[in-house]
Structure formats: structure tokens, C-alpha cells
């Protein structure tokens, strides 16, 4: 949930001198109640946005139930903080943002959506096709669209394969810069550099530096980030936000999740 009168775009674009953290929850990987518990731990640890999505074939009922459960938990925490003289309501006003694999994985309960063009796809479906199917739904339900260029970098994983991406290689700095300029010229506000969920190697820092030179875009980086060291590499290279998903899925329990997220998020603030 967002503060009154704040848009997701202003929230995500609000320049912070620190790199911020996004927790990605894949609705296919746990039931909605566990997803909400994980999201609350993430916010307690300092995660500043929750993405919901990831898998390519999750039905929208599951996506919706997960968004509803997370929003309800956030609302309860806002209320609890409002009743506590030492509570900080604002710290629980965290946007829940769809990160869809396609036009099927949508929910009116989300605050916003990364409305993405997979810019290095060879398939019309991922350049504009899924977007054509999803746009009327988003308009009907008033879900804010965050215009996002999405670039899949090597190794790329499943999203690289399914999205038919011409993978960006670690030495493709000039190409990434051209993509970033193109995204800005299209009026996109966000650029997401993706190595693929569970990737063995994260996005090469030289690619992040190159994209950051464009200056006009909010830069998100994700895929393969599991440790404080990896998070710091992405942050130092110029990421405005880093995204982790597998780290949360692989945590043994909520305490383990708390330890792992605290390590990663502390590295961003060091
Ligand atoms: C996947 O970039 C995200 O789309 C997160 O990747 O699951 O490897 O953290 P991980």
C-alpha cells in the first residue's frame, strides 16, 4: 500500500543516496499467507518494495490472492503502528507491484505494475503483444503502469529462454548504453537489468555502470544476488534498486530469512 496521494512512480523515482531493496515474491512458490509473512519480515528488515510475480504460468487467481494477503498484512501493520506511540506508520506504506510474466498474471489489488517491454526479445509477444492484452485490464482496474524497459543479460535463465532474448553479454557495455538511451527516448522511466532468477552469476557491474550513465532512468538490477558482497557490487556499480527473489524462497524459515535479508540490505546502506 502507498501513502495517500503518492504514486508508485514518485515512490520508485525518489532519489535516495542509498540503493534500496525489493523483495520479489513468486505466488507460485508458497500459499498467500506464507507469502504475506515473508513480505512482512522483508519490510521489517528494510526492504522498500514488494514485487509479486516471476513464473510464467501462474493463474491470476493465485496472483490476486497473494497481492490481497500482502496488502491486508501491510494495512494491519500500519494500523498497529498508528496505535503505538513509538510506531512508524510510514515504514509500512510499501507498494505492492506486479512483476508479470504476461497478461495473465494481473491483480486489481496491486498498487502498480512494471509495464515492461522485453527490449532484447526477438518475439513480438514480449515486445508489445502481452502488453496489448493487459493494458485494457489495467486501465479498468486503475493499476498504475510503471513504464519499464526490461533487458535480459547472460546467463538469462528461464526468462531468457521463454522470452526469446538475445542475451546481453558481459562485454556489451555500449549496447546496454544504447538500450538505456532508447528506453529513455521512448519515455520509459525504469530500466531493469535481469540476469535470470537463480542465476549463477549476477549482472556484470560494467553493464550496470554503463546503463547508469544514461541518468534519466531508475535502474533496477536483479538475478543471482544472494549475498551481501553481491548486493554491494550491484549498488556500487550504480543500481538504484536491487531485487532478490530466490534468497527468500530458499530461506529455511522466517528467522533464516531475517538473517539473510538483513545481511544483504545492510550492505546497501554501508
Ligand atoms: C528475477 O531478478 C529477479 O526476476 C530475482 O532473481 O531469484 O535470482 O533473486 P533471484
Amino acid at each position: 500500500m502507498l501513502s495517500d496521494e503518492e504514486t508508485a512512480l514518485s515512490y520508485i523515482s525518489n532519489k535516495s543516496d542509498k540503493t534500496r531493496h525489493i523483495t520479489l515474491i513468486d505466488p507460485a512458490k508458497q500459499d498467500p499467507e506464507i507469502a504475506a509473512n515473508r513480505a512482512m519480515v522483508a519490510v521489517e528488515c528494510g526492504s522498500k518494495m514488494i514485487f509479486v510475480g516471476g513464473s510464467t504460468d501462474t493463474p491470476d487467481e493465485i496472483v490476486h490472492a497473494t497481492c490481497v494477503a500482502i496488502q491486508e498484512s501491510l494495512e494491519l501493520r500500519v494500523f498497529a503502528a498508528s496505535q503505538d506511540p513509538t510506531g512508524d506508520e510510514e515504514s509500512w506504506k510499501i507498494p505492492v507491484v506486479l512483476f508479470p510474466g504476461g497478461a495473465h498474471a494481473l491483480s486489481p489489488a496491486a498498487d502498480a505494475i512494471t509495464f515492461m517491454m522485453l527490449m532484447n526479445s526477438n518475439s513480438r509477444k514480449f515486445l508489445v503483444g502481452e502488453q496489448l492484452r493487459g493494458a485494457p485490464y489495467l486501465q479498468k482496474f486503475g493499476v498504475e503502469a510503471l513504464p519499464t524497459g526490461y533487458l535480459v543479460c547472460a546467463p538469462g535463465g528461464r526468462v531468457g529462454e521463454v522470452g526469446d532474448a538475445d542475451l546481453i553479454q558481459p562485454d556489451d557495455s555500449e549496447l546496454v548504453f544504447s538500450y538505456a538511451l532508447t528506453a529513455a527516448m521512448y519515455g520509459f522511466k525504469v530500466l531493469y537489468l535481469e540476469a535470470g532468477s537463480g542465476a549463477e552469476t549476477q549482472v556484470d557491474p560494467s553493464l550496470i555502470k554503463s546503463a547508469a550513465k544514461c541518468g534519466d532512468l531508475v535502474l533496477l538490477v536483479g538475478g543471482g544476488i544472494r549475498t551481501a558482497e553481491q548486493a554491494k557490487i550491484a549498488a556500487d556499480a550504480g543500481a538504484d534498486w536491487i531485487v532478490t527473489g530466490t534468497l527468500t524462497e530458499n530461506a529455511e524459515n522466517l528467522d533464516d530469512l531475517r538473517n539473510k535479508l538483513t545481511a544483504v540490505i545492510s550492505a546497501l546502506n554501508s
Side-chain angles (χ1 to χ4, degrees), residues 74-134:
L74 287 170
E75 281 165 26
L76 280 173
R77 298 296 184 113
V78 169
F79 177 74
S82 75
Q83 304 302 302
D84 176 354
T86 62
D88 178 9
E89 279 179 66
E90 294 304 311
S91 69
W92 293 100
K93 292 182 180 171
I94 299 288
V96 177
V97 176
L98 296 167
F99 173 61
H104 54 281
L106 305 179
S107 162
D111 294 298
I113 180 170
T114 51
F115 194 72
M116 297 186 283
M117 175 192 284
L118 203 178
M119 296 180 78
N120 57 329
S121 175
N122 292 309
S123 162
R124 182 180 186 278
K125 174 177 159 74
F126 294 103
L127 292 165
V128 74
E130 289 294 307
Q131 296 82 338
L132 280 169
R133 291 176 53 217

Side-chain angles (χ1 to χ4, degrees), residues 1-2 52 59-72 75 95-100 102-113 134-145:
M1 63 180 294
L2 279 162
V52 176
D60 56 5
E61 299 82 39
I62 310 271
V63 175
H64 181 59
T66 302
C67 288
V68 168
I70 296 171
Q71 294 284 29
E72 286 179 353
E75 281 165 26
V96 177
V97 176
L98 296 167
F99 173 61
H104 54 281
L106 305 179
S107 162
D111 294 298
I113 180 170
Y137 177 97
L138 297 169
Q139 186 202 36
K140 181 173 170 196
F141 290 107
V143 177
E144 180 185 345

Side-chain angles (χ1 to χ4, degrees), residues 130-195:
E130 289 294 307
Q131 296 82 338
L132 280 169
R133 291 176 53 217
Y137 177 97
L138 297 169
Q139 186 202 36
K140 181 173 170 196
F141 290 107
V143 177
E144 180 185 345
L146 296 167
T148 302
Y150 188 50
L151 284 178
V152 184
C153 307
R158 190 158 155 72
V159 69
E161 287 167 26
V162 174
D164 194 8
D166 204 357
L167 297 178
I168 311 259
Q169 300 301 324
D171 59 357
D172 279 337
S173 295
E174 282 182 32
L175 179 62
V176 162
F177 185 64
S178 292
Y179 269 120
L181 284 179
T182 303
M185 288 175 183
Y186 265 119
F188 297 170
K189 303 298 180 197
V190 179
L191 187 69
Y192 190 148
L193 300 183
E194 169 75 83

Side-chain angles (χ1 to χ4, degrees), residues 4-58:
D4 294 343
E5 293 173 26
E6 186 165 37
T7 63
L9 183 58
S10 69
Y11 183 92
I12 197 172
S13 313
N14 187 2
K15 282 284 173 193
S16 159
D17 53 351
K18 299 290 182 195
T19 302
R20 290 180 284 171
H21 180 263
I22 297 168
T23 291
L24 169 65
I25 303 266
D26 184 342
K29 301 283 172 67
Q30 71 278 282
D31 70 34
E33 191 188 346
I34 293 174
N37 292 341
R38 288 176 165 174
M40 294 312 105
V41 168
V43 178
E44 280 168 18
C45 293
S47 205
K48 296 294 180 195
M49 192 149 46
I50 304 294
F51 275 6
V52 176
S55 290
T56 43
D57 48 5
T58 316

